[in-house]
Amino acid sequence: MARVASTRAKVGYTVAAWIVALVIFFPILYTIITSLKTEQEAIAGFNLIPSFTLSSFEAVQSQNNYWRPFTNSVILAVGSTLLALVVAIPAAWAMAFSPTKNTRGILMWMLSTKMMPAVAVLVPIYLIFLRTGLMDTRIGLTVMLMLINLPIVVWMLYTYFREIPGEILEAARMDGASLRDEILYVLTPMAVPGIASTMLLNVILAWNEAFWTIQLTTTNAAPLSAFIASFSSPQGLFWAKLSAASVMAIAPILIMGWFSQKQLVRGLTFGAVK
Amino acid sequence: MGRITLEAVTKRFGDVEVIPPLNLDIEDGEFVVFVGPSGCGKSTLLRLIAGLEDTSGGRILIDGRDATDTPPAKRGLAMVFQSYALYPHMSVRKNIAFPMRMAGVPQDEQDRRIASAAKALNLTDYLDRKPGQLSGGQRQRVAIGRAIVREPSAFLFDEPLSNLDAALRVGMRLEISELHNRLRTTMIYVTHDQVEAMTMADKIVVLRAGNIEQVGSPMELYRAPRNLFVAGFIGSPRMNLITGPEAGRHGAATIGIRPEHIRVSATEGAWQGRVGVSEHLGSDTFFYVEDTGLADTITVRAGGEIDLHHGDTVWLTPDMGHLHRFDVQGSRMA
Amino acid sequence: MATRQTQGLARLMRAPAIILLLIWMIVPLGMTLYYSFLNYNLLNPASVSWAGWFNYQYFYTDPAFFAAIRNTLVLVLGVLTITVVLGIAIALLIDKPIWGQGMVRILIISPFFVMPPVAALIWKNMIMHPSYGVFADIARAIGVQPVDWFAQYPLTSIIIIVAWQWLPFATLILLTALQSLDGEQMEAAEMDGAGPVSRFIHLTLPHLARAITVVVLIQTIFLLGIYAEILVTTNGGPGNASTNLTYLIYRAARLNFDIGGAAAGGIIAVILANIVAFFLMRAVGKNLD
Ligand SMILES: Nc1ncnc2c1ncn2[C@@H]1O[C@H](COP(=O)(O)OP(=O)(O)OP(=O)(O)O)[C@@H](O)[C@H]1O
Ligand SMILES: [Mg+2]
């Protein structure tokens, strides 16, 4: 291939790729633009230049008490993730470094629990939550989100731990490290990057979960996903306000997501694609 | 002190017996090399001694005390792994300090030992680097440094040089031998490279399928291999093994003669053949002689300047004083 | 390393996760199974009685049930087809040397991080709204009657929204797989005279097989449970036109308070999911390590 031709090709590919990217991103972009418009502008036909007003954001915060669902989202996402890590780190550690002939089977089984449709257990979970007073509580929902993401967390950690060579842990053992030392000084520092990306991905998944959060909350514990879903009713016919609420709901996670692209692939494919 | 005794030590993985009951005595200060083909159980045996694997039977004594159920950390042994197993998140200094930190050695004593190990191993300039920023040979030295500072009663090495290139390998080989001369600590060294075995060992243990085929000094094994397996394994190039009528003439099922114990002549000798491939190393030349009617090829070592070419007819004369005779079972005959 | 001490400890460390997931699987499923044989309506909680197979028969004779199964399949297959085909195309495109590849990737991956209710709201109001949406603006600009998407093409609209959400995932995974394709292999094929099309068919596609399998497996798990998108946009309508199995069961449980009926539906969903999972696991098992 001649150099000149390849530069021309690069221009072509670049233009095509950017068009595709902008088309895919457009709904988000247009929502951001609309959130910066006045309500009149928002319904005045197609227009990419807003008047850059923040009034819709202020309105969402004052009228809809945006901060409660936001706080709930943070607590649920972070809380369920930490809880899942507490349970999953020892399990993944054991399966990665002390495998038995059942380990593979156990991992596949864990994955299969993820295939159970949520709706199949809607009835009992709903009733349990009603009767035990867990309905619309943060603690109940935190445990739920922990359980539904636990298999993914175990899998992700397992694939990361597997990459830590067993010989290093043996070396630590030979060097006189107790199990506690081994975990504290050798395993943990080496596992931190893997744990961090697992955490990141799980926070994203928990933040965006929108079945149980809608089913098991009304007002007190409702996170952003449930809060936003309530906008589908007629009060939501304020375009700019709706856009502002949407932007606030997705912005934190969108930004986190941009940083986690690489880990995302491994995490969501259970290490099958790297 | 570093006297290690294995009494009927056995290892099974599931139903597979990798090490049948095995007895071995390793004296304090000895440099012992385990050699044998791939998969014969060298690493397994070393890991049993280290305590990284449980025995399936038998006892392991370290300095006379039963250490069979002692965890690896308490055995007072240090191990250098084939992959070096350095802690990637720690600097060289921290890597070397780690075992001392675990043992609660005071800080100033730690610093002193690190400095002297670094000096001995030429690592002083690299103490603050991470292992990822070191070359293979440097990593190897860090792994050895980490082992030295513990002042263990014995060092265990599992093919420590196999990831290095040929030149470095020779250098490190010398360094490890020198280390042994200086420390006089027991060293157990696993390799499948018989040059390493010959040059470094006080005592070689030849393993086959978990069985000890022969134990002895390098020269004992070279001069009097107990059976065909050892004869074929020790020495480079390999010993020529000849069966058939020629062996029968010497009253044996198989006779063996090393390439360096055969005289070459263009005019006269006991066996006649044709020169096949020849390898000129400068100091020596190896001829692979074909069509002798004795074996497929007979390997012969000759001086560097000898002038023979592909297809030339040669005569070979074995040095009778160095002829090895083996019976039908492959055992050495007196 | 597998010494006795570590093994005992390992068992202890595995236990909490396994026990939790075991309870999480067995208890609610057992309860669902039990409820599915009861006449149990929350509007009339005092009169609970044994129903035998009634709830299942009821589901089986309900035309909404078959509509829901059909819609579920159309939704899953539609989204899978769109995301895999477009995903391969886009991955091939951005794998080429382009300026600003990092930014392009960020723009393309973004929809994946948009939570389902927000995605549905954006499309419903910003894009597909019959009077204020961008599509309507475009229609008016070229002088045609705007389409009332959710009334006229409810299921298609939902497929478009969900495909938009999952296209980034497929693209990113396929791109990752593509980047691990051996460049020398491609060059060797080029030297052997293989054109771009035959290189794609004989080298690229087989190389992507594993990634495609993974995409299909993982998306299917999530796509079977699509819920918020329907809740926010069509509420399953008009009629049952956009009701999938998840939504149907949700409606029985939460809007009709029919615990027994919803439980029977749940059991049917489990059976269907297992059938799908069986085939997927078999396909994936062959493709994974
Ligand atoms: N954890 C294990 N489980 C089952 N079998 C094992 C295990 N570890 C080793 N083996 C088997 O035990 C035998 C001896 O293995 P070992 O690693 O000791 O060989 P080796 O002599 O060190 O070989 P090499 O020179 O290739 O390193 C091999 O057949 C191997 O397959
Ligand atoms: Mg080995």
Side-chain angles (χ1 to χ4, degrees):
Chain A
M1 240 188 284
R3 282 293 127 214
V4 185
S6 79
T7 309
R8 198 175 308 145
K10 189 169 175 181
V11 171
Y13 289 135
T14 303
V15 170
W18 275 90
I19 290 175
V20 168
L22 287 173
V23 166
I24 290 177
F25 191 68
F26 179 76
I28 298 174
L29 181 69
Y30 199 60
T31 304
I32 297 173
I33 291 172
T34 306
S35 73
L36 299 168
K37 292 176 177 173
T38 63
E39 289 296 347
Q40 286 83 350
E41 281 179 277
I43 52 172
F46 187 72
N47 174 14
L48 286 176
I49 315 288
S51 60
F52 292 104
T53 171
L54 292 177
S55 58
S56 304
F57 286 92
E58 283 156 18
V60 170
Q61 283 181 46
S62 55
Q63 292 168 31
N64 299 85
N65 190 9
Y66 169 82
W67 291 112
R68 191 173 55 195
F70 180 83
T71 317
N72 283 337
S73 272
V74 172
I75 292 177
L76 291 180
V78 175
S80 69
T81 301
L82 291 182
L83 212 57
L85 284 178
V86 168
V87 178
I89 288 177
W93 189 88
M95 289 197 266
F97 297 118
S98 204
T100 64
K101 53 182 180 302
N102 296 328
T103 297
R104 209 186 136 77
I106 291 175
L107 280 165
M108 287 313 262
W109 165 73
M110 286 188 168
L111 188 58
S112 75
T113 66
K114 197 62 201 151
M115 295 195 185
M116 181 170 70
V119 73
V121 292
L122 170 63
V123 165
I125 298 291
Y126 180 68
L127 291 180
I128 290 173
F129 267 59
L130 269 185
R131 289 186 191 143
T132 54
L134 285 171
M135 188 56 91
D136 204 18
T137 60
R138 287 167 179 169
I139 188 82
L141 210 51
T142 305
V143 172
M144 273 304 298
L145 293 184
M146 183 270 267
L147 283 172
I148 61 172
N149 285 329
L150 188 58
I152 292 189
V153 176
V154 172
W155 259 92
M156 270 190 84
L157 289 173
Y158 172 78
T159 62
Y160 280 114
F161 288 175
R162 274 282 297 270
E163 284 177 9
I164 298 175
E167 279 198 350
I168 292 207
L169 301 184
E170 293 184 344
R173 228 164 285 171
M174 293 296 296
D175 281 346
S178 66
L179 187 67
R180 197 185 121 263
D181 298 332
E182 189 181 321
I183 293 177
L184 214 57
Y185 299 122
V186 181
L187 183 79
T188 307
M190 290 179 65
V192 158
I195 294 175
S197 23
T198 307
M199 217 168 128
L200 199 63
L201 180 69
N202 201 56
V203 166
I204 293 172
L205 289 178
W207 183 282
N208 287 346
E209 207 285 328
F211 181 76
W212 293 111
T213 50
I214 294 173
Q215 299 302 330
L216 301 177
T217 63
T218 47
T219 47
N220 290 329
L224 285 166
S225 51
F227 169 75
I228 289 287
S230 71
F231 270 91
S232 62
S233 34
Q235 67 177 64
L237 288 175
F238 293 99
W239 266 248
K241 240 178 70 180
L242 184 80
S243 302
S246 301
V247 169
M248 287 195 283
I250 62 175
I253 238 54
L254 199 56
I255 292 165
M256 275 176 77
W258 289 341
F259 288 105
S260 69
Q261 285 186 57
K262 290 230 173 57
Q263 294 86 320
L264 184 82
V265 175
R266 284 182 67 131
L268 279 178
T269 60
F270 306 101
V273 175
K274 275 179 206 157
Chain B
M1 285 292 285
R3 195 183 131 89
I4 296 169
T5 311
L6 308 185
E7 288 178 356
V9 166
T10 314
K11 180 64 187 175
R12 278 185 297 274
F13 287 115
D15 298 333
V16 188
E17 192 172 64
V18 178
I19 311 274
L22 178 148
N23 295 296
L24 183 66
D25 257 313
I26 295 167
E27 299 299 332
D28 184 29
E30 235 175 5
F31 197 119
V32 177
V33 173
F34 294 169
V35 282
S38 190
C40 69
K42 306 178 294 288
S43 298
T44 305
L45 193 55
L46 197 72
R47 293 163 57 81
L48 285 170
I49 296 172
L52 295 171
E53 300 279 358
D54 287 323
T55 54
S56 310
R59 296 201 309 157
I60 297 171
L61 305 178
I62 298 177
D63 292 329
R65 270 178 294 110
D66 187 345
T68 316
D69 292 319
T70 311
K74 302 265 163 58
R75 294 191 184 194
L77 309 175
M79 181 144 166
V80 175
F81 292 85
Q82 183 174 1
S83 65
Y84 317 140
L86 300 179
Y87 309 118
H89 56 289
M90 297 184 198
S91 65
V92 168
R93 183 191 306 280
K94 290 236 171 74
N95 261 283
I96 297 178
F98 188 75
M100 296 189 283
R101 193 164 132 212
M102 291 298 107
V105 174
Q107 189 62 46
D108 52 342
E109 172 68 8
Q110 284 190 23
D111 292 341
R112 200 187 57 71
R113 287 199 216 167
I114 292 172
S116 88
K119 187 153 165 283
L121 293 164
N122 265 328
L123 285 171
T124 314
D125 293 340
Y126 307 106
L127 280 176
D128 294 312
R129 290 210 199 164
K130 292 269 173 69
Q133 303 163 308
L134 299 178
S135 71
Q138 289 163 342
R139 283 181 218 183
Q140 180 63 73
R141 280 197 277 268
V142 176
I144 293 174
R146 192 172 65 182
I148 295 176
V149 293
R150 304 187 46 189
E151 301 181 346
S153 53
F155 289 93
L156 311 178
F157 294 90
D158 192 353
E159 306 203 27
L161 308 185
S162 59
N163 286 338
L164 301 179
D165 67 43
L168 257 177
R169 199 142 61 201
V170 175
M172 285 306 298
R173 202 167 78 199
L174 291 173
E175 281 190 44
I176 293 175
S177 291
E178 212 174 282
L179 190 70
H180 181 244
N181 288 332
R182 194 152 50 80
L183 300 176
R184 285 280 140 214
T185 309
T186 311
M187 291 189 175
I188 306 178
Y189 188 104
V190 165
T191 180
H192 53 232
D193 179 331
Q194 58 98 14
V195 177
E196 281 174 27
M198 290 299 284
T199 53
M200 301 171 87
D202 295 324
K203 182 154 101 185
I204 295 180
V205 177
V206 182
L207 289 165
R208 175 165 61 160
N211 285 304
I212 294 183
E213 293 292 313
Q214 189 169 4
V215 179
S217 71
M219 285 320 284
E220 277 166 23
L221 266 56
Y222 176 81
R223 288 199 194 102
R226 224 174 63 192
N227 55 34
L228 281 175
F229 180 78
V230 179
F233 204 81
I234 299 290
S236 173
R238 286 163 57 96
M239 181 188 284
N240 296 297
L241 296 173
I242 298 163
T243 52
E246 182 66 21
R249 289 207 306 119
H250 294 89
T254 309
I255 53 171
I257 183 79
R258 295 192 186 278
E260 53 271 40
H261 298 142
I262 299 177
R263 259 183 300 112
V264 186
S265 158
T267 50
E268 54 175 9
W271 304 325
Q272 191 201 21
R274 232 167 15 80
V275 176
V277 178
S278 39
E279 295 175 336
H280 297 274
L281 304 181
S283 59
D284 292 319
T285 306
F286 295 115
F287 293 108
Y288 298 91
V289 179
E290 293 163 354
D291 299 337
T292 52
L294 305 167
D296 279 351
T297 53
I298 299 279
T299 313
V300 181
R301 194 186 83 177
E305 305 293 336
I306 190 157
D307 194 29
L308 281 172
H309 298 281
H310 188 268
D312 289 355
T313 300
V314 285
W315 273 270
L316 309 175
T317 313
D319 180 346
M320 281 306 160
H322 288 105
L323 194 79
H324 305 268
R325 299 185 308 136
F326 301 94
D327 65 17
V328 192
Q329 280 83 40
S331 296
R332 181 179 192 82
M333 296 166 70
Chain C
M1 160 168 49
T3 55
R4 273 180 289 270
Q5 293 117 317
T6 48
Q7 257 165 20
L9 194 78
R11 209 167 298 131
L12 210 68
M13 288 171 28
R14 275 194 304 262
I18 293 177
I19 292 171
L20 269 176
L21 280 175
L22 210 61
I23 294 175
W24 163 234
M25 198 170 84
I26 290 173
V27 173
L29 261 188
M31 287 172 74
T32 303
L33 194 63
Y34 172 65
Y35 289 138
S36 72
F37 292 105
L38 295 183
N39 278 316
Y40 184 5
N41 194 302
L42 282 183
L43 292 177
N44 192 359
S47 72
V48 175
S49 63
W50 187 252
W53 293 99
F54 174 78
N55 288 321
Y56 290 93
Q57 271 161 9
Y58 178 81
F59 243 99
Y60 190 71
T61 51
D62 185 358
F65 173 66
F66 288 101
I69 299 263
R70 194 189 69 89
N71 290 340
T72 305
L73 289 179
V74 171
L75 181 60
V76 171
L77 292 178
V79 173
L80 284 178
T81 313
I82 295 174
T83 53
V84 169
V85 172
L86 284 185
I88 293 177
I90 298 174
L92 283 172
L93 177 61
I94 55 182
D95 190 36
K96 298 272 190 257
I98 55 173
W99 283 292
Q101 201 194 40
M103 197 59 210
V104 165
R105 275 177 67 132
I106 281 183
L107 292 181
I108 288 179
I109 189 71
S110 293
F112 186 72
F113 301 115
V114 176
M115 59 173 71
V118 171
L121 271 189
I122 290 178
W123 279 85
K124 181 185 178 185
N125 293 297
M126 302 292 145
I127 311 293
M128 290 174 155
H129 195 281
S131 27
Y132 304 115
V134 173
F135 284 177
D137 291 335
I138 295 173
R140 275 192 297 269
I142 58 176
V144 297
Q145 185 65 29
V147 176
D148 186 353
W149 286 89
F150 293 101
Q152 290 174 262
Y153 308 107
L155 194 57
T156 311
S157 306
I158 290 170
I159 290 177
I160 293 174
I161 298 176
V162 177
W164 177 75
Q165 288 179 280
W166 284 95
L167 179 58
F169 173 78
T171 305
L172 193 63
I173 288 181
L174 293 166
L175 179 64
T176 308
L178 211 52
Q179 284 169 342
S180 69
L181 186 59
D182 185 358
E184 288 192 354
Q185 203 185 349
M186 273 293 173
E187 283 167 3
E190 211 175 328
M191 301 285 292
D192 289 344
V197 175
S198 60
R199 279 196 309 244
F200 175 75
I201 292 173
H202 296 294
L203 289 176
T204 311
L205 267 191
H207 179 78
L208 290 182
R210 175 188 170 95
I212 293 174
T213 318
V214 170
V215 166
V216 168
L217 166 66
I218 288 166
Q219 286 198 16
T220 304
I221 295 175
F222 286 95
L223 295 180
L224 284 172
I226 291 293
Y227 163 75
E229 291 85 342
I230 299 175
L231 175 76
V232 170
T233 55
T234 64
N235 267 309
N240 290 315
S242 59
T243 299
N244 68 354
L245 197 53
T246 303
Y247 202 80
L248 183 73
I249 297 166
Y250 153 77
R251 214 161 54 190
R254 297 297 306 277
L255 304 182
N256 304 332
F257 302 101
D258 180 5
I259 295 299
I267 294 298
I268 294 171
V270 170
I271 294 169
L272 289 180
N274 270 303
I275 295 172
V276 174
F278 172 78
F279 286 110
L280 280 177
M281 289 291 219
R282 245 181 37 169
V284 173
K286 254 183 253 158
N287 242 312
L288 298 181
D289 57 41

